[in-house]
């Protein structure tokens, strides 16, 4: 137990001048890329990958709009629109990576890099809200407070983040950056917890339905896979961001760590989103359903 605790502390704080004898895993990642054109290839590859996912979300949004042209902005439409915005913004940032990572203002750099992450949180917790509404309706519980709660939580998170950016611009930069990373770790853990709570509850409820129920098996797999994917990606993000708050070698917001950045964003955003968009690719029925009510 003591050895395990010691290893975790070493991972978070790093090694002093390599005296531990074994190079940290983040040194291995960061030492793989020294040539500038190879860095450029990685960042442009990320730009292309994000643009690809953004286009997929836009195409799916257009398909849904054509299917439900007479209905306003449903949860499903907003989800795909936000995916389009988040991944489009990431694509632009990685397309102009040199300017973004070399900004003189640390607060502006953090804002540009953190804003898509906040929007990603809002996008995928929208699924948690959707599942919470379904679960509450199935249990004859009130749902009128769920959507206002979602808006209120997001408003508070964005307000706190804005305060952190202001603090970075006027106060000690290192303390502000550390606070920003720990804050991101907390909200990532919160998102993972939300998926476990409502995704898990909805999954358990669907399992109790009769086997011959129409669409029961498909919905069971859909909820189970999406819950697992999102919970894992947010927990990985939580751990990575928390470690980077205390270990500069694990920082994914610096231009000198391209391989680590590639691994990080592929695991926590690109691959999970591709899988979720694929799983949720089915178009809604043409008839008006309570499941696709307009957002008030």
């Amino acid at each position: 137990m003591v050895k395990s605790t010691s290893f975790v502390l070493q991972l978070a704080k790093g090694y002093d001048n390599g005296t531990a004898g074994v190079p940290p895993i983040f040194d291995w990642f960061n030492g793989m890329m020294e040539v500038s054109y190879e860095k450029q290839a990685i960042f442009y590859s990320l730009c292309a990958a994000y643009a690809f996912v953004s286009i997929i979300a836009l195409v799916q949004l257009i398909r849904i709009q054509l299917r439900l042209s007479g209905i306003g902005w449903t949860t499903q439409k907003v989800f795909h629109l936000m995916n389009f915005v988040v991944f489009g913004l990431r694509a632009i940032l990685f397309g102009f990576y040199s300017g973004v990572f070399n900004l003189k203002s640390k607060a502006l750099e953090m804002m540009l890099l953190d804003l898509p992450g906040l929007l990603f949180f809002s996008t995928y917790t929208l699924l948690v809200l959707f599942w919470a509404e379904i679960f509450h309706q199935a249990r004859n519980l009130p749902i009128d407070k769920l959507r206002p709660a979602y808006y209120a939580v997001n408003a508070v998170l964005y307000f706190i983040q804005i305060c952190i950016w202001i603090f970075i611009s006027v106060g000690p930069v290192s303390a502000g950056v550390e606070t920003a990373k720990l804050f991101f770790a907390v909200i990532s853990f919160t998102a993972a917890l939300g998926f476990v709570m409502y995704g898990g509850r909805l999954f358990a409820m669907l399992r109790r339905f009769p086997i011959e129920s129409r669409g029961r098996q498909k919905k069971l797999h859909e909820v189970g896979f999406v819950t697992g994917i999102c919970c894992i990606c947010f927990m990985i993000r939580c751990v990575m961001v928390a470690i980077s708050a205390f270990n500069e070698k694990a920082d994914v917001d610096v231009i000198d760590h391209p391989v680590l950045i590639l691994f990080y964003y592929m695991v926590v955003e690109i691959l999970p989103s591709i899988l979720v968009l694929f799983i949720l690719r089915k178009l809604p029925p043409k008839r008006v359903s309570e499941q696709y009510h307009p957002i008030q």
Side-chain angles (χ1 to χ4, degrees):
M1 184 69 178
V2 174
K3 291 182 179 180
S4 176
T5 305
S6 175
F7 173 77
V8 173
L9 290 174
Q10 284 182 330
L11 183 63
K13 295 181 179 179
Y15 292 73
D16 295 330
N17 300 320
T19 56
V22 181
I25 186 171
F26 301 112
D27 281 344
W28 179 79
F29 269 114
N30 301 332
M32 291 178 64
M33 196 63 56
E34 299 293 340
V35 184
S36 60
Y37 69 83
E38 292 179 343
K39 291 182 181 180
Q40 187 179 64
I42 284 184
F43 284 112
Y44 285 154
S45 296
L46 281 171
C47 172
Y50 274 103
F52 173 71
V53 180
S54 180
I55 291 172
I56 291 176
L58 178 61
V59 170
Q60 186 68 356
L61 174 61
I62 294 172
R63 293 178 66 209
I64 296 170
Q65 179 61 29
L66 293 175
R67 176 66 67 93
L68 301 176
S69 57
I71 302 178
W73 282 97
T74 65
T75 302
Q76 191 180 28
K77 290 181 182 179
V78 174
F79 174 74
H80 286 88
L81 175 63
M82 292 180 70
N83 268 292
F84 167 69
V85 172
V86 170
F87 283 83
L89 184 56
R90 282 281 193 213
I92 293 172
L93 292 176
F94 282 120
F96 296 96
Y97 74 95
S98 181
V100 172
F101 284 100
N102 291 308
L103 285 170
K104 292 183 179 180
S105 172
K106 186 63 178 178
L108 180 58
E109 177 189 335
M110 292 289 293
M111 183 184 72
L112 291 175
L113 294 173
D114 290 348
L115 182 58
L118 280 175
L119 293 174
F120 186 86
F121 168 86
S122 299
T123 301
Y124 281 83
T125 50
L126 195 61
L127 290 177
V128 177
L129 170 65
F130 184 56
W131 290 347
E133 290 177 336
I134 294 176
F135 179 80
H136 279 239
Q137 286 177 337
R139 292 300 184 93
N140 293 319
L141 298 173
I143 66 169
D144 55 310
K145 294 183 179 180
L146 292 176
R147 198 167 291 272
Y150 169 81
Y151 294 142
V153 168
N154 276 270
V156 170
L157 293 180
Y158 282 84
F159 176 76
I160 294 174
Q161 184 63 71
I162 291 172
C163 291
I164 293 174
W165 291 333
I166 295 174
F167 176 76
I168 292 174
S169 65
V170 299
V173 173
S174 59
V177 171
E178 183 176 316
T179 302
K181 293 181 182 299
L182 292 176
F183 177 67
F184 248 95
V186 170
I187 65 174
S188 298
F189 178 79
T190 303
L193 187 62
F195 275 102
V196 170
M197 286 180 59
Y198 281 105
R201 288 179 178 180
L202 189 58
F203 183 83
M205 185 181 72
L206 289 172
R207 288 192 65 181
R208 290 194 293 267
F209 281 3
I211 298 178
E212 63 273 9
S213 295
R214 184 180 179 183
R216 176 256 193 190
Q217 196 68 20
K218 186 173 182 180
K219 281 295 179 184
L220 191 66
H221 290 160
E222 179 182 298
V223 173
F225 282 131
V226 173
T227 297
I229 291 168
C230 292
C231 183
I232 290 171
C233 85
F234 276 109
M235 281 305 300
I236 292 175
R237 184 175 216 140
C238 172
V239 173
M240 283 289 295
V241 174
I243 292 175
S244 70
F246 304 103
N247 186 351
E248 293 181 356
K249 296 175 183 177
D251 194 352
V252 294
D253 292 334
V254 293
I255 197 171
D256 294 329
H257 300 167
V259 177
L260 185 61
I261 289 173
L262 175 65
F263 172 80
Y264 174 77
Y265 283 106
M266 287 293 292
V267 170
V268 303
E269 287 188 357
I270 296 174
L271 291 179
S273 296
I274 290 175
L275 291 173
V276 170
L277 289 173
F278 177 77
I279 294 170
L280 302 179
R281 68 192 183 279
K282 183 180 178 181
L283 294 176
K286 289 185 177 180
R287 69 180 186 276
V288 178
S289 171
E290 291 183 359
Q291 185 178 359
Y292 298 98
H293 54 80
I295 293 179
Q296 301 296 328

